[in-house]
Each structure stands twice: as structure tokens, then as C-alpha cells.
Amino acid sequence: MERYIQASFRVGSDLGIPFWAESVLLEMVMGDSLALDFYGHWISDLAMAHGAAIISPNYRLMPEATSTEINDDIRDFWEWLHSSALVDLLSAHTTPTTLDLDRILTTGESAGGLLSINLALSNPSDIRATTAAYPFLDIESEDYSSPRAAPPVGMHVPESVVQDTMSSIALGTAVSSILAQERAAFMPAATEHGALAGMYERGVQESERGRLYPMDRLEQPDCCVPRRGIAIIQGRQDSVVPVRGVEKFVNRAREVLNGKPGSDRIVLALRDGEHGFDGDVRLAEQCLQDALKVALEAWLE
């Protein structure tokens, strides 16, 4: 698993600290766990306020990798997180550190939000609470399979960018860190021209759908959420991840999970803002405090 996963650590001041796991990286096609521009300020505020460790994994990126491989990397990361290898690594550090793996809160933005929720649905009893910002959830909808009437964030990118990128890469190559500027146009182009759903679908086996597609996972009889639920923050004006897809997931989750632990704590907090609105949001903002109140209380109890 170490072949693909690079985990960067940012640690608070004390030993025996609570643990904050982040499956972020704004996009599934570009990013790096050490790229601080991809972090919302509120995440760092939270970690510093409570002496928490942020562990942020890299994972293989599309379109070189498949969605199955990306989710496999997150599964491998989860297993590594609970392995003796991590214990040995942290105990040998200049400042030996012990993680409290009974207090796990996951978070992620956009594609990272999808991975955060997928991880929570796969390990609900081992995660206290899950958060996500503008997560990419209703993957099979027309929002991701058909051309958009208006380009995301008002920036038109020619469809040739998708075609040129696909023709220049080697499918199956393990690439987990991309910050090259020429890649930056690929995600908005794929979104505008309806290529994301097909790219995520590539190579998916029918038996895997419940693990890879949150909407499908909700329909499985054994589906559960962490006991303190899921808190999602979403911008009303998001032109990359439209609010309707997130509302669809939240409404269906509340309906099918009714009566199960955590089902009454599935929270969707809407505020004005475009995709990535939380980049400059601080933890003290009241909207954020209201949205995350239950999740944070569960994490710290």
C-alpha cells in the first residue's frame, strides 16, 4: 500500500491527542497532500484548537487510475492507519506520538468529500462522525454525464482539453501527485462536457457499486452511518457540484436510514458561496459552528 499512499502529518502539541483523518484533495485528477492551498483554514483551526493530528493521504488520480483503484487506496490507507507500521513510525519520531484511534473524524472537500463519506459508510462503527464540503455524491446524474448549459465557475474550457489529456496519458499508470498547471483545465473541462460520470464508471464491476457510489450504498440493507452522523456544508451557488445532488443524497439517507443510529444527525448546512467557498472560512464562523456542532461534540467526547 505504501507504493501509492503518501500520508502527510500535521500534529498538535500534546501526546495522546485526538485524531483527525482527512481524505481531501479538491479534485480526483489533480492535487497533493502537501499542497496547503487545498486546505480550508477552518480545518487547521480545528486541529490547532484541540491538539489534533491531521493525516492526509495521497491516492492515485484519474484518469490514469480508475475510481476502484482510488477507493482501494483509501481502504489501504485505513488499514495502514490501524497497523503496527504506523505505531512504529510515530514512536520512532523525534517527538514520539500516540494517536487516539477511538476518536476519528473524517473530512474532505469535493472529490475528497466523496471519499470521506465512502469511508464512513464502509466503517461506520469505527468513525465517530464524518464531515464533507460540497461532496461529489450523485455521480450518475446528468450533472456529470451531460454537457452543462453554463460552464462551471463561469470558465469555458474547450472539449478538446478532455480529448487531448486522455490521448496523452497512459491508463493504468500510478500517479498520485499532480500540480502541473496544464492539468488544471482538465477537471473543469470534464465537468462542463459531461465526461466525469463515464470517467468514474470506467472499470467498475457491478459488485463494487455499493462501495464506490454513495447513492447505491444507501440502498443496501446493511447501510449505516457513524453514530454521530454526517455533516455536509454546501454553497448554494456551487456550479461544479450543484446543490441538488447533495440534497438528493441527504434526503434519501434520512429516509432509508430512519431509526438507525446517526440517522437523525445527517445535517446539510447551506450558505451562499461557489465551489471552494470555505477556503478562507475560519472555524469561528457561526454557520460552520452550527453545521459541525454535533460532529465536533462527538469527536471530542
Side-chain angles (χ1 to χ4, degrees), residues 131-168:
T131 73
Y134 35 88
F136 172 48
L137 297 175
D138 193 16
I139 303 166
E140 295 181 286
S141 72
E142 289 189 0
D143 287 326
Y144 307 109
S145 60
S146 299
R148 300 280 183 95
V153 296
M155 182 180 70
H156 169 68
V157 182
E159 189 173 7
S160 59
V161 170
V162 178
Q163 299 163 347
D164 292 345
T165 301
M166 294 301 296
S167 64
S168 66

Short mmCIF file of all heavy atoms in Angstrom, two decimals, residues 131-168:
data_model
loop_
_atom_site.label_atom_id
_atom_site.label_comp_id
_atom_site.label_asym_id
_atom_site.label_seq_id
_atom_site.Cartn_x
_atom_site.Cartn_y
_atom_site.Cartn_z
N THR A 131 -17.57 14.58 8.18
CA THR A 131 -17.94 15.85 7.58
C THR A 131 -17.49 15.86 6.12
O THR A 131 -16.61 15.09 5.73
CB THR A 131 -17.31 17.05 8.31
OG1 THR A 131 -15.90 17.11 8.02
CG2 THR A 131 -17.50 16.94 9.82
N ALA A 132 -18.10 16.73 5.35
CA ALA A 132 -17.72 16.88 3.94
C ALA A 132 -18.15 18.26 3.48
O ALA A 132 -19.17 18.79 3.95
CB ALA A 132 -18.36 15.80 3.08
N ALA A 133 -17.41 18.81 2.56
CA ALA A 133 -17.77 20.08 1.95
C ALA A 133 -18.03 19.85 0.47
O ALA A 133 -17.22 19.23 -0.22
CB ALA A 133 -16.66 21.12 2.14
N TYR A 134 -19.19 20.32 0.01
CA TYR A 134 -19.63 20.20 -1.38
C TYR A 134 -19.17 18.89 -2.02
O TYR A 134 -18.46 18.87 -3.03
CB TYR A 134 -19.18 21.41 -2.22
CG TYR A 134 -17.83 21.99 -1.84
CD1 TYR A 134 -16.64 21.53 -2.39
CD2 TYR A 134 -17.75 23.03 -0.91
CE1 TYR A 134 -15.43 22.05 -2.04
CE2 TYR A 134 -16.53 23.56 -0.54
CZ TYR A 134 -15.37 23.07 -1.12
OH TYR A 134 -14.15 23.60 -0.76
N PRO A 135 -19.57 17.75 -1.44
CA PRO A 135 -19.09 16.44 -1.93
C PRO A 135 -19.74 16.03 -3.24
O PRO A 135 -20.91 16.29 -3.50
CB PRO A 135 -19.48 15.49 -0.80
CG PRO A 135 -20.70 16.12 -0.18
CD PRO A 135 -20.46 17.59 -0.26
N PHE A 136 -18.97 15.34 -4.04
CA PHE A 136 -19.36 14.80 -5.35
C PHE A 136 -20.07 13.47 -5.09
O PHE A 136 -19.44 12.44 -4.98
CB PHE A 136 -18.04 14.64 -6.12
CG PHE A 136 -18.10 13.94 -7.44
CD1 PHE A 136 -19.03 14.25 -8.40
CD2 PHE A 136 -17.13 12.97 -7.74
CE1 PHE A 136 -19.03 13.59 -9.63
CE2 PHE A 136 -17.12 12.32 -8.96
CZ PHE A 136 -18.08 12.63 -9.90
N LEU A 137 -21.43 13.49 -4.96
CA LEU A 137 -22.16 12.32 -4.48
C LEU A 137 -23.10 11.69 -5.51
O LEU A 137 -23.14 10.48 -5.65
CB LEU A 137 -22.98 12.69 -3.23
CG LEU A 137 -22.18 13.13 -2.01
CD1 LEU A 137 -23.12 13.58 -0.90
CD2 LEU A 137 -21.26 12.01 -1.53
N ASP A 138 -23.86 12.52 -6.23
CA ASP A 138 -24.85 11.98 -7.18
C ASP A 138 -24.16 11.77 -8.52
O ASP A 138 -24.48 12.40 -9.54
CB ASP A 138 -26.01 12.97 -7.29
CG ASP A 138 -27.21 12.36 -8.00
OD1 ASP A 138 -27.26 11.12 -8.14
OD2 ASP A 138 -28.09 13.14 -8.42
N ILE A 139 -23.24 10.84 -8.54
CA ILE A 139 -22.26 10.72 -9.63
C ILE A 139 -22.89 10.37 -10.97
O ILE A 139 -22.40 10.77 -12.03
CB ILE A 139 -21.20 9.67 -9.24
CG1 ILE A 139 -20.55 10.06 -7.92
CG2 ILE A 139 -20.14 9.53 -10.32
CD1 ILE A 139 -19.75 8.95 -7.27
N GLU A 140 -23.99 9.62 -10.94
CA GLU A 140 -24.59 9.17 -12.19
C GLU A 140 -25.61 10.16 -12.76
O GLU A 140 -26.22 9.88 -13.79
CB GLU A 140 -25.25 7.82 -11.98
CG GLU A 140 -24.25 6.71 -11.66
CD GLU A 140 -24.92 5.36 -11.48
OE1 GLU A 140 -25.56 5.16 -10.43
OE2 GLU A 140 -24.81 4.53 -12.39
N SER A 141 -25.80 11.27 -12.11
CA SER A 141 -26.80 12.23 -12.56
C SER A 141 -26.36 12.94 -13.84
O SER A 141 -25.18 12.89 -14.23
CB SER A 141 -27.07 13.27 -11.48
OG SER A 141 -25.97 14.16 -11.36
N GLU A 142 -27.28 13.63 -14.46
CA GLU A 142 -26.97 14.37 -15.69
C GLU A 142 -25.98 15.49 -15.43
O GLU A 142 -25.33 15.97 -16.37
CB GLU A 142 -28.26 14.93 -16.30
CG GLU A 142 -29.16 13.87 -16.90
CD GLU A 142 -30.31 14.47 -17.69
OE1 GLU A 142 -30.39 15.72 -17.76
OE2 GLU A 142 -31.13 13.70 -18.23
N ASP A 143 -25.85 15.91 -14.17
CA ASP A 143 -24.89 16.96 -13.86
C ASP A 143 -23.47 16.56 -14.22
O ASP A 143 -22.61 17.42 -14.46
CB ASP A 143 -24.95 17.31 -12.36
CG ASP A 143 -26.20 18.07 -12.00
OD1 ASP A 143 -26.67 18.86 -12.83
OD2 ASP A 143 -26.71 17.88 -10.88
N TYR A 144 -23.20 15.25 -14.25
CA TYR A 144 -21.84 14.77 -14.53
C TYR A 144 -21.76 13.91 -15.79
O TYR A 144 -20.66 13.53 -16.19
CB TYR A 144 -21.32 13.99 -13.33
CG TYR A 144 -21.43 14.78 -12.05
CD1 TYR A 144 -22.37 14.43 -11.07
CD2 TYR A 144 -20.65 15.89 -11.83
CE1 TYR A 144 -22.49 15.17 -9.91
CE2 TYR A 144 -20.76 16.65 -10.67
CZ TYR A 144 -21.68 16.28 -9.72
OH TYR A 144 -21.81 17.03 -8.57
N SER A 145 -22.91 13.62 -16.41
CA SER A 145 -22.90 12.77 -17.59
C SER A 145 -23.33 13.50 -18.86
O SER A 145 -23.23 12.95 -19.95
CB SER A 145 -23.82 11.56 -17.38
OG SER A 145 -25.16 11.98 -17.13
N SER A 146 -23.83 14.73 -18.71
CA SER A 146 -24.27 15.51 -19.88
C SER A 146 -23.59 16.87 -19.87
O SER A 146 -23.23 17.39 -18.80
CB SER A 146 -25.80 15.71 -19.83
OG SER A 146 -26.47 14.47 -19.87
N PRO A 147 -23.42 17.47 -21.05
CA PRO A 147 -22.81 18.80 -21.11
C PRO A 147 -23.62 19.82 -20.31
O PRO A 147 -24.84 19.76 -20.26
CB PRO A 147 -22.83 19.13 -22.61
CG PRO A 147 -22.86 17.79 -23.28
CD PRO A 147 -23.69 16.92 -22.39
N ARG A 148 -22.94 20.74 -19.70
CA ARG A 148 -23.58 21.78 -18.90
C ARG A 148 -24.03 22.93 -19.80
O ARG A 148 -23.33 23.31 -20.75
CB ARG A 148 -22.59 22.33 -17.86
CG ARG A 148 -22.07 21.29 -16.85
CD ARG A 148 -23.07 21.04 -15.74
NE ARG A 148 -22.55 20.10 -14.75
CZ ARG A 148 -21.95 20.47 -13.62
NH1 ARG A 148 -21.75 21.76 -13.35
NH2 ARG A 148 -21.54 19.56 -12.76
N ALA A 149 -25.18 23.50 -19.45
CA ALA A 149 -25.65 24.67 -20.18
C ALA A 149 -24.75 25.87 -19.91
O ALA A 149 -24.51 26.71 -20.79
CB ALA A 149 -27.09 25.00 -19.78
N ALA A 150 -24.24 25.94 -18.69
CA ALA A 150 -23.31 27.01 -18.32
C ALA A 150 -22.04 26.37 -17.77
O ALA A 150 -22.12 25.42 -16.98
CB ALA A 150 -23.94 27.93 -17.27
N PRO A 151 -20.88 26.85 -18.14
CA PRO A 151 -19.63 26.23 -17.68
C PRO A 151 -19.43 26.44 -16.18
O PRO A 151 -19.84 27.47 -15.63
CB PRO A 151 -18.56 26.95 -18.49
CG PRO A 151 -19.16 28.26 -18.85
CD PRO A 151 -20.62 28.00 -19.04
N PRO A 152 -18.81 25.49 -15.49
CA PRO A 152 -18.53 25.64 -14.06
C PRO A 152 -17.68 26.89 -13.80
O PRO A 152 -16.78 27.21 -14.57
CB PRO A 152 -17.75 24.37 -13.71
CG PRO A 152 -18.12 23.39 -14.77
CD PRO A 152 -18.34 24.20 -16.01
N VAL A 153 -18.00 27.57 -12.72
CA VAL A 153 -17.35 28.81 -12.29
C VAL A 153 -17.20 29.82 -13.44
O VAL A 153 -16.30 30.65 -13.43
CB VAL A 153 -15.98 28.55 -11.61
CG1 VAL A 153 -16.17 27.76 -10.33
CG2 VAL A 153 -15.00 27.81 -12.52
N GLY A 154 -18.11 29.72 -14.41
CA GLY A 154 -18.14 30.69 -15.49
C GLY A 154 -16.95 30.65 -16.43
O GLY A 154 -16.72 31.59 -17.20
N MET A 155 -16.20 29.56 -16.43
CA MET A 155 -14.98 29.47 -17.23
C MET A 155 -15.13 28.40 -18.29
O MET A 155 -15.10 27.20 -17.99
CB MET A 155 -13.78 29.16 -16.33
CG MET A 155 -12.46 29.09 -17.08
SD MET A 155 -11.05 28.71 -15.98
CE MET A 155 -11.40 27.00 -15.56
N HIS A 156 -15.33 28.79 -19.52
CA HIS A 156 -15.45 27.83 -20.62
C HIS A 156 -14.10 27.24 -20.95
O HIS A 156 -13.10 27.95 -21.11
CB HIS A 156 -16.04 28.51 -21.85
CG HIS A 156 -15.97 27.65 -23.08
ND1 HIS A 156 -16.70 26.49 -23.22
CD2 HIS A 156 -15.21 27.77 -24.22
CE1 HIS A 156 -16.42 25.93 -24.39
NE2 HIS A 156 -15.52 26.69 -25.01
N VAL A 157 -14.06 25.92 -21.06
CA VAL A 157 -12.85 25.21 -21.47
C VAL A 157 -13.22 24.31 -22.64
O VAL A 157 -14.19 23.55 -22.56
CB VAL A 157 -12.27 24.35 -20.32
CG1 VAL A 157 -10.98 23.67 -20.77
CG2 VAL A 157 -12.02 25.20 -19.09
N PRO A 158 -12.51 24.37 -23.74
CA PRO A 158 -12.87 23.55 -24.91
C PRO A 158 -12.87 22.06 -24.59
O PRO A 158 -12.07 21.58 -23.79
CB PRO A 158 -11.77 23.90 -25.93
CG PRO A 158 -11.23 25.21 -25.48
CD PRO A 158 -11.34 25.22 -23.98
N GLU A 159 -13.76 21.32 -25.24
CA GLU A 159 -13.83 19.88 -25.05
C GLU A 159 -12.53 19.20 -25.50
O GLU A 159 -12.20 18.11 -25.02
CB GLU A 159 -15.01 19.31 -25.82
CG GLU A 159 -15.29 17.85 -25.52
CD GLU A 159 -16.57 17.35 -26.16
OE1 GLU A 159 -17.18 18.11 -26.96
OE2 GLU A 159 -16.96 16.21 -25.86
N SER A 160 -11.80 19.86 -26.37
CA SER A 160 -10.53 19.29 -26.84
C SER A 160 -9.55 19.08 -25.69
O SER A 160 -8.65 18.23 -25.80
CB SER A 160 -9.91 20.20 -27.90
OG SER A 160 -9.67 21.51 -27.38
N VAL A 161 -9.71 19.83 -24.59
CA VAL A 161 -8.82 19.64 -23.43
C VAL A 161 -9.00 18.24 -22.86
O VAL A 161 -8.04 17.59 -22.47
CB VAL A 161 -9.09 20.72 -22.37
CG1 VAL A 161 -8.35 20.38 -21.06
CG2 VAL A 161 -8.66 22.10 -22.87
N VAL A 162 -10.25 17.78 -22.81
CA VAL A 162 -10.52 16.42 -22.33
C VAL A 162 -9.88 15.41 -23.28
O VAL A 162 -9.18 14.48 -22.86
CB VAL A 162 -12.03 16.16 -22.22
CG1 VAL A 162 -12.31 14.72 -21.77
CG2 VAL A 162 -12.67 17.15 -21.26
N GLN A 163 -10.13 15.60 -24.55
CA GLN A 163 -9.62 14.65 -25.56
C GLN A 163 -8.10 14.63 -25.58
O GLN A 163 -7.48 13.56 -25.64
CB GLN A 163 -10.19 15.04 -26.92
CG GLN A 163 -11.71 14.98 -26.97
CD GLN A 163 -12.31 15.74 -28.15
OE1 GLN A 163 -11.62 16.51 -28.81
NE2 GLN A 163 -13.60 15.51 -28.40
N ASP A 164 -7.48 15.81 -25.52
CA ASP A 164 -6.02 15.89 -25.57
C ASP A 164 -5.39 15.24 -24.34
O ASP A 164 -4.36 14.55 -24.44
CB ASP A 164 -5.55 17.34 -25.68
CG ASP A 164 -5.92 17.98 -27.02
OD1 ASP A 164 -6.27 17.22 -27.95
OD2 ASP A 164 -5.87 19.21 -27.11
N THR A 165 -6.00 15.47 -23.17
CA THR A 165 -5.47 14.88 -21.95
C THR A 165 -5.58 13.37 -21.99
O THR A 165 -4.63 12.64 -21.66
CB THR A 165 -6.21 15.43 -20.72
OG1 THR A 165 -6.06 16.85 -20.66
CG2 THR A 165 -5.66 14.81 -19.43
N MET A 166 -6.74 12.87 -22.41
CA MET A 166 -6.94 11.42 -22.46
C MET A 166 -5.98 10.75 -23.44
O MET A 166 -5.53 9.62 -23.22
CB MET A 166 -8.38 11.10 -22.83
CG MET A 166 -9.41 11.52 -21.78
SD MET A 166 -9.16 10.75 -20.17
CE MET A 166 -9.41 9.03 -20.56
N SER A 167 -5.67 11.43 -24.52
CA SER A 167 -4.78 10.83 -25.52
C SER A 167 -3.30 10.91 -25.12
O SER A 167 -2.47 10.19 -25.67
CB SER A 167 -4.96 11.52 -26.88
OG SER A 167 -4.58 12.88 -26.81
N SER A 168 -2.99 11.76 -24.14
CA SER A 168 -1.59 11.96 -23.77
C SER A 168 -1.16 11.15 -22.54
O SER A 168 0.02 11.10 -22.24
CB SER A 168 -1.33 13.44 -23.48
OG SER A 168 -2.04 13.87 -22.32
#
